[in-house]
Amino acid sequence: MTIGSPAIELEKLLDKGRKTAIISHFNPDGDAVGSSVGMRRFLLSKNMDADIVLPSRHPEFLDFLDPEKDIICYVDNKEKALQTVNAAELIICLDFNRPERTEWLSEALTGSSAVKVLIDHHLNPDRDKFDIIISDASASSTCELLYRTLMDFNAIQGDPHRLSHDTLTAIATGILTDTNNFNNSVTPDTFSIASDMLRCNVDLDAINTLVFKRYSESRMRLMGHLLTDSMEIDTRLHASSMVITMKDREKYRFADGDSEGFVNLPLMISDVEVSALFSETPDYVRVSLRSKGHISVNALANAFFNGGGHERAAGGRLYMPVGQVRKYFLESLEQFLLTSEGR
Ligand code: 5GP
Ligand code: MN
């Protein structure tokens, strides 16, 4: 690979004749779907195309980003998903730092001889696995990083008006969801981008309504149940834990993405520094961790929860009965706080 700006290297690779796939992580969130759709919409606006392949379904509230249902989801169509990744000559990887985060697509991705480009804002990307890396852990979101990358393209020359309105809308969605409506991880760049978006008539208010104000009644009741009946506070460790069981899933007709954001709620309590949400699935317990102080939940997730993420937002998995997870959480946190990373 020649040395040059990675954005320009990527721009050079974008070509109608080159089969391109865009892939993102398991349990895709607003940033994963927003960056994937934003990248594809940019290509479409330049008369190119790419297939988006996701390992699992996105939450329903993001359906507005895929009105034609073009996204290929491994869970719904395994063959087509794998074929698309295998046939690609260029694979653009968005919002994950290591191939394993794509779950069932990981093998195809790692084994592919395609040129692989990574655009991502997680810590410690797996550098050996990608040919071009655009990585910045200080970016609020992959969408912010994608925006900056597109701005650097020769075709755009730093002029947001050269990006199509629907490309900007998809990118804005990821910035809004990953920052929780400009609440977390924002940088001066985040607000400049938001300002560019408004100048280009992107309706941030409408996106805000679409992503944050479309709860189903059962989702709202699940939130009430978790806060009233499940949340336990450990005042000594300044930690909160909540658990969604398989029973809760049934009772509250749990759909993908229904617990999005709930883990943040206990951080509103002045004394709570770390919040954990455990969600039982048939195969493992999904872990979501958040902090508002100095504690790196990325390090905590790495050390004890088979996962990772960002300093203040991370996730992972536990392979133990759901009844044991709270005890494990408190013991792990206590141990972690004694280590140099946790202090
Ligand atoms: P969430 O709690 O919203 O599912 O995830 C928070 C952050 O942690 C996200 O940035 C996500 O990419 C990361 N994350 C979630 N689950 C995992 C996991 O199993 N492994 C790793 N490495 N990161 C995860
Ligand atoms: Mn992200």
Side-chain angles (χ1 to χ4, degrees), residues 16 31 34 47 65 79 92 103 132 145-146 201 204 208 232-233 241 251 280 290 292 309 343:
K16 212 184 287 199
D31 197 26
N47 296 313
L65 289 179
E79 228 165 82
I92 303 174
E103 202 76 27
I132 296 176
L145 207 45
L146 172 62
N201 296 318
L204 295 183
N208 180 28
E232 287 181 14
I233 310 285
S241 63
K251 180 169 175 194
E280 186 184 14
R290 298 291 186 273
K292 71 174 182 216
R343 271 197 295 266

Side-chain angles (χ1 to χ4, degrees), residues 15-43:
D15 185 282
K16 212 184 287 199
R18 189 173 278 121
K19 267 202 175 62
T20 303
I22 296 169
I23 73 178
S24 192
H25 61 80
F26 182 69
N27 278 331
D29 57 6
D31 197 26
V33 180
S35 57
S36 299
V37 171
M39 185 73 229
R40 176 163 187 251
R41 286 179 176 174
F42 169 78
L43 292 172

Side-chain angles (χ1 to χ4, degrees), residues 25 29 95 97-98 101 121-122 178 260 263 286-290 306-310 313-317:
H25 61 80
D29 57 6
D95 201 34
N97 54 355
R98 39 196 67 241
R101 293 281 292 130
H121 71 132
H122 291 87
D178 255 28
E260 193 76 40
V263 65
R286 207 176 142 204
V287 183
S288 265
L289 298 166
R290 298 291 186 273
N306 307 300
H310 310 278
R317 289 172 189 193

Side-chain angles (χ1 to χ4, degrees), residues 260-290:
E260 193 76 40
F262 291 174
V263 65
N264 293 305
L265 297 171
L267 292 181
M268 291 185 206
I269 300 169
S270 53
D271 212 26
V272 171
E273 298 281 332
V274 188
S275 168
L277 174 67
F278 300 97
S279 192
E280 186 184 14
T281 77
D283 307 313
Y284 54 86
V285 178
R286 207 176 142 204
V287 183
S288 265
L289 298 166
R290 298 291 186 273

Side-chain angles (χ1 to χ4, degrees), residues 57-73:
R57 285 191 201 138
H58 61 262
E60 203 183 301
F61 74 86
L62 294 171
D63 279 353
F64 73 98
L65 289 179
D66 186 30
E68 311 286 336
K69 305 224 175 303
D70 292 327
I71 294 178
I72 303 165
C73 174

Side-chain angles (χ1 to χ4, degrees), residues 166-185:
D166 65 348
T167 303
L168 290 170
T169 298
I171 292 175
T173 304
I175 296 177
L176 246 73
T177 52
D178 255 28
T179 63
N180 192 17
N181 206 18
F182 301 104
N183 264 299
N184 320 316
S185 327

